Amino acid sequence: MAIQNCLRVIGGTPLRGEVRLNGTKNGALPILAAALLVEGEVALHNVPQISDIDKMCQLMRLLGARVEQAGDTVRVDASTLTTGSADRDLAAAMRASHYVLAPLLARLGHAEVPLPGGCAIGSRPVDYIIKALKQMNIPVEEHMDVMVGTLEHGLHGGTVTLGPTYRSPGATFDVAMAAALADGQTVIENASADPEVENFCRFLQAAGAGVARPTADRIVIDGVKRLHGCEHTIICDRIEAGTYLMAGAATKGEVRVGPIKPEYLGAVLDKLEEMGLMVQREKDAVTVRFMGRPKGTTVFTRPYPAFPTDLQSPMVVLMCLAEGQSVMMETIYDGRLTYVHELRRMGAQVKLATSKEAVIEGVAALDGRTVEGTDMRASAALVIAALAADGESTVMGRKYINRGYEHFESKLADLGGRICECPEEGEG
């Protein structure tokens, strides 16, 4: 039976309780791809059970790797890679498919990876990845919607300088994978400082790569001839954490999340406190409690440790219910605010000054409506809006939520949210 793509939500109930976080999607996908670099078995723990992970595992199997999934543990043995050509349909179904490019080049000397797909959140070209790899003299070109590369003289280290404004995590992961098996030393300047990158470097170290981070935005990698099997645990998802904390705040409740280092959410928690919410930081957990209607604020999304773009949409929902005016400046992606049209249908007062700037006049309440999300984070945010709204809502876009959130509906239901899969036609 096909999975329904909509959720039925009855709002008005404050969310209260504790959420146990799963492993990070943004960190697990590149580490899975990096397992293709290893000649031996890799055991990865705390891997989220989401559709993007399933697609990545399937893609790796078609490349010749042995991949076994058992709960939140994934075992990979890429000793017998058979092809450098990635499946077109799977690559087109997720953004993270580009991560297999560097491992295939490093192991087989040739790679053909169709351009990645994923959520519709604006222009996300791969040229920044290709430019980064070319700084290592890796000949990768885009031909007929396929990234193609062939090594004639192996991989060689060098200095790679990424764009200082965005400090791309994707480019950081890709260059690090190429550098792990390259001859000589590679230095990545303006590297992403994301916690997921730190965890990724620990994985490479466990597999035998020479990796050092003298500063948060500088990574030094001494290439080795071969990586060996290892075990590694994925860190928990800070975006999932922020999503549930904001859901609790928007519904006038109190939510605790963990295990998570509070510093991973530093800029987010600072903004929530600025809005008047109570934030309690523990060693490996965070609690946010509603303390009266929050105050409006201004947020700029920027690379870590600033406010993350992946939490922009749930933050806008909270801003819609805040007192006074708020401004959201999305500086990373140019099409990530289109969902605000759906919030307007629920009674939110939001204007798009530009494609990257939303001006919000807070309202006391939202109204239940039928709304549709077109990407993972926006669809989750619309569910939060529905939980906070008066009356009943239908939220389309469940398939996007399943790409990045494990057991989303059941976790919200455990907090008291009235949410369920839409019934089949003809059912009550």
Side-chain angles (χ1 to χ4, degrees), residues 164-227:
T165 302
Y166 301 113
R167 301 198 301 277
S168 164
T172 302
F173 291 132
D174 284 323
V175 172
M177 284 188 273
L181 292 180
D183 289 335
Q185 185 178 85
T186 300
V187 179
I188 308 175
E189 303 285 4
N190 300 325
S192 168
D194 285 11
E196 293 80 11
V197 171
E198 177 185 0
N199 191 243
F200 180 85
C201 289
R202 287 202 215 106
F203 166 74
L204 290 181
Q205 290 169 341
V211 182
R213 292 184 74 188
T215 63
D217 60 356
R218 189 170 191 259
I219 300 175
V220 179
I221 300 174
D222 291 305
V224 297
K225 297 294 183 183
R226 182 177 179 274
L227 296 178

Side-chain angles (χ1 to χ4, degrees), residues 14-344:
L15 299 184
R16 302 185 187 279
E18 183 170 354
V19 175
R20 180 166 183 82
L21 302 172
N22 298 112
T24 167
K25 164 192 174 288
N26 291 343
L29 288 166
I31 290 176
L32 268 174
L36 295 175
L37 294 165
V38 179
E39 296 180 58
E41 185 175 272
V42 170
L44 300 175
H45 306 294
N46 200 34
V47 179
Q49 298 174 63
I50 54 177
S51 63
D52 264 19
I53 293 294
D54 292 339
K55 289 184 178 73
M56 179 62 85
C57 290
Q58 188 177 352
L59 179 65
M60 293 165 64
R61 291 186 187 104
L62 292 177
L63 292 170
R66 179 175 61 82
V67 183
E68 297 177 357
Q69 296 169 265
D72 68 354
T73 294
V74 178
R75 297 183 183 275
V76 180
D77 188 340
S79 300
T80 57
L81 286 181
T82 56
T83 178
S85 298
D87 181 82
R88 179 176 291 274
D89 291 338
L90 284 169
M94 60 177 174
R95 176 64 181 172
S97 58
H98 68 87
Y99 287 137
V100 304
L101 179 67
L104 292 176
L105 284 169
R107 289 287 309 281
L108 303 177
H110 177 75
E112 295 181 17
V113 180
L115 294 182
C119 288
I121 59 174
S123 175
R124 297 196 292 179
V126 296
D127 60 331
Y128 69 98
I129 295 168
I130 293 175
K131 288 178 181 178
L133 293 174
K134 282 187 173 181
Q135 292 183 58
M136 293 180 67
N137 294 315
I138 299 175
V140 178
E141 303 291 344
E142 184 183 328
H143 296 295
M144 301 294 291
D145 296 331
V146 178
M147 293 180 288
V148 180
T150 299
L151 297 177
E152 295 183 1
H153 305 291
L155 288 168
H156 301 277
T159 297
V160 177
T161 303
L162 304 181
T165 302
Y166 301 113
R167 301 198 301 277
S168 164
T172 302
F173 291 132
D174 284 323
V175 172
M177 284 188 273
L181 292 180
D183 289 335
Q185 185 178 85
T186 300
V187 179
I188 308 175
E189 303 285 4
N190 300 325
S192 168
D194 285 11
E196 293 80 11
V197 171
E198 177 185 0
N199 191 243
F200 180 85
C201 289
R202 287 202 215 106
F203 166 74
L204 290 181
Q205 290 169 341
V211 182
R213 292 184 74 188
T215 63
D217 60 356
R218 189 170 191 259
I219 300 175
V220 179
I221 300 174
D222 291 305
V224 297
K225 297 294 183 183
R226 182 177 179 274
L227 296 178
H228 55 72
C230 64
E231 290 198 41
H232 180 75
T233 299
I234 309 294
I235 60 172
C236 286
D237 197 324
R238 60 193 171 102
I239 306 303
E240 183 190 25
T243 300
Y244 289 115
L245 291 174
M246 291 180 194
T251 59
K252 304 179 182 179
E254 178 178 346
V255 171
R256 181 177 186 266
V257 298
I260 189 83
K261 292 183 179 180
E263 55 265 35
Y264 289 172
L265 291 164
V268 174
L269 301 181
D270 290 345
K271 276 297 173 183
L272 295 180
E273 285 181 317
E274 180 184 305
M275 295 177 78
L277 295 156
M278 190 284 291
V279 176
Q280 181 179 345
R281 297 168 176 83
E282 303 173 45
K283 181 180 179 181
D284 61 352
V286 177
T287 301
V288 169
R289 179 189 305 153
F290 181 83
M291 300 293 287
R293 190 176 176 188
K295 308 298 182 184
T297 188
T298 296
V299 170
F300 288 78
T301 64
R302 298 196 191 281
Y304 185 86
F307 197 99
T309 179
D310 281 352
L311 285 175
Q312 173 250 100
S313 48
M315 186 61 162
V316 167
V317 172
L318 189 56
M319 290 171 160
C320 287
L321 295 165
E323 184 178 357
Q325 186 180 88
S326 296
V327 177
M328 174 59 75
M329 294 293 300
E330 171 57 58
T331 73
I332 308 297
Y333 296 121
D334 59 9
R336 205 162 201 178
L337 285 166
T338 56
Y339 68 90
V340 302
H341 300 293
E342 300 299 290
L343 291 176
R344 285 181 193 152

Side-chain angles (χ1 to χ4, degrees), residues 3 49-52 397-405 409:
I3 296 176
Q49 298 174 63
I50 54 177
S51 63
D52 264 19
R398 185 186 184 208
K399 65 180 181 181
Y400 298 111
I401 296 172
N402 291 342
R403 287 188 51 229
Y405 293 90
E409 302 104 274

